Amino acid sequence: MRHGFTTGSCAAAAAKAAVYMLLFGTEKNSISIMTPKGILYEAHITDIKRGEDKVSCAVIKDGGDDPDVTTGAHVFAEVSISETAKEPAVKNDSDIEVVIDGGAGVGRVTKPGLDQPVGNAAINRVPREMITKEVTEVCRLADFHGRVNVIISIPEGEELAKDTFNPRLGIEGGISVIGTSGVVEPMSTQAIIDTIKVELCQQKALGKTCAAIAPGNYGRDFLKRAYGYDIDESVKCSNYIGAAIDMAAEMGFESILLAGNIGKLVKVAGGIMNTHSKEGDCRMEIMAAAALANNVSPDTCRKILDCVMTDEAIRLIDEENKKDAVMNYLMEKIMFYLRKRAGRKTEIECVIYSEKYGELAKSKGAEKWLTLLARDRAL
């Protein structure tokens, strides 16, 4: 299946082309950037408008074979130079300042707990880093030092946002500019399940007796950071936790370790084995119920229901010194459903974590499982 490129990649490519045209005075109809995943993106530039003090242009989003609502949207970048930027400056990278904001169709954050603080345009951290990197590269090439203003807009964004969870998350006025790898992987259900099966088969063929499963790259990175387990040896199951467990059990793995972010795995505490938001999003309801069961105050539980991110809910729980109790309670619920799904012949253990708080809880047998991992690596 054909991959596509994220809105973040589109924004970075458009910004790079716009600043190139502004500083060099020549039209640019295509531009290339390197995505964080290491895949080169050759972007076609359209809707070019050039002026003496600013340039704008667009890249049309192509999500590949992924059913992405933003495919076909125009991601614009308008680039201008501040007055102070025209003053002489010492020639080093610290004197290149890139200021990024959102325009029409790019949402603005109105609730805490998201990637960006309240008031900021919903342009996430990695796209901001990509834009800054590409614009800075052109500035160095042009021997320019000063402040460059970049405004990202997506004219179709406000309408597209109605088909996303942005309004519920407190992102108003448009869509988010997102992406951590710069690349959109195809999300055909069958293709993903087939890929999971292939990866599990490979592990089995290599003689592995334990299957390490993580919903996404963050889970795999966590295993590497916390336990020194090579992310290339774990299987990425995306949202299909139940299907991955079924396949691992059918293939005869002796044990399974599921390691993932609380944002996904909290849903498993409610018996949800497909964690895609379209299948259900009851994260805060489950968190609030777990908090109430562990004597967190009713007022805090009500606040949890209004949270948009699990880290924000954890912060509220932690303020009452109940984080460990609530996380261990959730782990018990998670393990009930995991064991029910895996059956009696396959041991299953779990570790949940947060990017902000680190490891939150692990099942009683997780340490034993990690010892088995070390044994398997030595084979």
Side-chain angles (χ1 to χ4, degrees):
M1 297 182 74
R2 189 172 62 89
H3 67 252
F5 293 93
T6 63
T7 47
S9 289
C10 295
K16 182 177 185 179
V19 75
Y20 186 97
M21 288 186 275
L22 182 63
L23 295 180
F24 286 95
T26 57
E27 190 163 296
K28 197 76 172 169
N29 298 116
S30 64
I31 204 85
S32 63
I33 67 167
M34 184 61 70
T35 62
K37 192 168 184 176
I39 295 175
L40 189 70
Y41 178 28
E42 296 277 359
H44 174 69
I45 306 302
T46 186
D47 295 271
I48 298 169
K49 293 182 180 179
R50 297 167 57 193
E52 184 178 344
D53 298 320
K54 65 181 179 182
V55 171
S56 71
C57 62
V59 170
I60 299 175
K61 167 72 180 287
D62 179 4
D65 289 333
D66 185 68
D68 191 329
V69 297
T70 60
T71 291
H74 292 68
V75 181
F76 278 86
E78 180 186 278
V79 171
S80 61
I81 296 171
S82 294
E83 289 299 318
T84 53
K86 297 177 181 177
E87 298 174 3
V90 178
K91 295 181 179 180
N92 58 55
D93 289 352
S94 65
D95 290 315
I96 301 172
E97 184 180 5
V98 182
V99 181
I100 302 167
D101 201 359
V106 172
R108 201 155 289 273
V109 178
T110 66
K111 291 184 179 180
L114 297 175
D115 180 274
Q116 293 295 304
V118 172
N120 271 24
I123 304 172
N124 283 5
R125 177 183 60 83
V126 173
R128 286 176 183 269
E129 290 173 353
M130 293 173 67
I131 293 166
T132 299
K133 172 182 173 292
E134 299 301 337
V135 169
T136 300
E137 179 183 301
V138 175
C139 288
R140 285 202 301 263
L141 189 64
D143 200 23
F144 170 84
H145 299 267
R147 174 180 292 182
V148 179
N149 298 314
V150 180
I151 298 175
I152 304 299
S153 59
I154 305 171
E156 305 95 333
E158 190 166 1
E159 187 64 27
L160 290 172
K162 296 176 182 177
D163 294 324
T164 72
F165 278 89
N166 274 15
R168 178 176 176 177
L169 295 174
I171 299 173
E172 298 181 356
I175 61 172
S176 304
V177 178
I178 60 174
T180 55
S181 68
V183 176
V184 179
E185 301 289 354
M187 289 294 286
S188 159
T189 298
Q190 191 56 52
I192 292 173
I193 291 174
D194 289 346
T195 300
I196 296 168
K197 186 174 183 178
V198 168
E199 290 189 14
L200 285 168
C201 285
Q202 288 175 335
Q203 295 298 308
K204 192 69 177 173
L206 290 170
K208 307 294 183 183
T209 60
C210 308
I213 298 172
N217 291 329
Y218 287 141
R220 299 168 82 174
D221 291 346
F222 169 77
L223 285 173
K224 178 72 172 179
R225 269 196 326 271
Y227 296 106
Y229 183 66
D230 191 343
I231 61 172
D232 290 333
E233 296 179 43
S234 61
V235 175
K236 184 177 175 181
C237 68
S238 186
N239 294 297
Y240 304 96
I241 293 170
I245 292 171
D246 292 345
M247 287 185 284
E250 288 168 6
M251 290 179 193
F253 282 94
E254 293 176 11
S255 55
I256 300 168
L257 175 69
L258 175 65
N261 190 291
I262 183 67
K264 277 197 180 294
L265 295 197
V266 69
K267 297 181 183 183
V268 179
I272 297 172
M273 291 291 172
N274 181 340
T275 58
H276 196 288
S277 57
K278 289 183 179 179
E279 296 293 326
D281 185 12
C282 54
R283 294 168 301 151
M284 298 313 158
E285 290 82 357
I286 293 172
M287 292 280 281
L292 191 62
N294 285 275
N295 300 313
V296 173
S297 68
D299 183 55
T300 295
C301 291
R302 282 190 289 269
K303 290 178 181 177
I304 289 171
L305 291 172
D306 290 329
C307 290
V308 295
M309 300 294 282
T310 48
D311 276 351
E312 179 65 12
I314 294 170
R315 181 187 67 78
L316 293 171
I317 293 166
D318 198 32
E319 286 177 354
E320 296 195 17
N321 297 315
K322 295 295 179 79
K323 177 168 67 70
D324 290 346
V326 172
M327 292 302 114
N328 288 330
Y329 177 90
L330 285 171
M331 179 57 75
E332 289 180 14
K333 298 294 182 183
I334 289 168
M335 288 306 301
F336 170 80
Y337 288 108
L338 290 181
R339 287 180 178 134
K340 187 176 179 182
R341 188 69 179 241
R344 295 181 180 180
K345 294 182 179 180
T346 308
E347 290 185 41
I348 189 164
E349 303 297 341
C350 184
V351 181
I352 55 174
Y353 70 94
S354 152
E355 287 296 299
K356 182 174 181 180
Y357 292 94
E359 185 175 296
L360 295 170
K362 61 175 176 276
S363 58
K364 291 180 181 178
E367 289 293 343
K368 171 190 171 183
W369 194 94
L370 289 162
T371 301
L372 291 174
L373 271 183
R375 185 198 71 183
D376 271 4
R377 283 203 305 273
L379 290 177

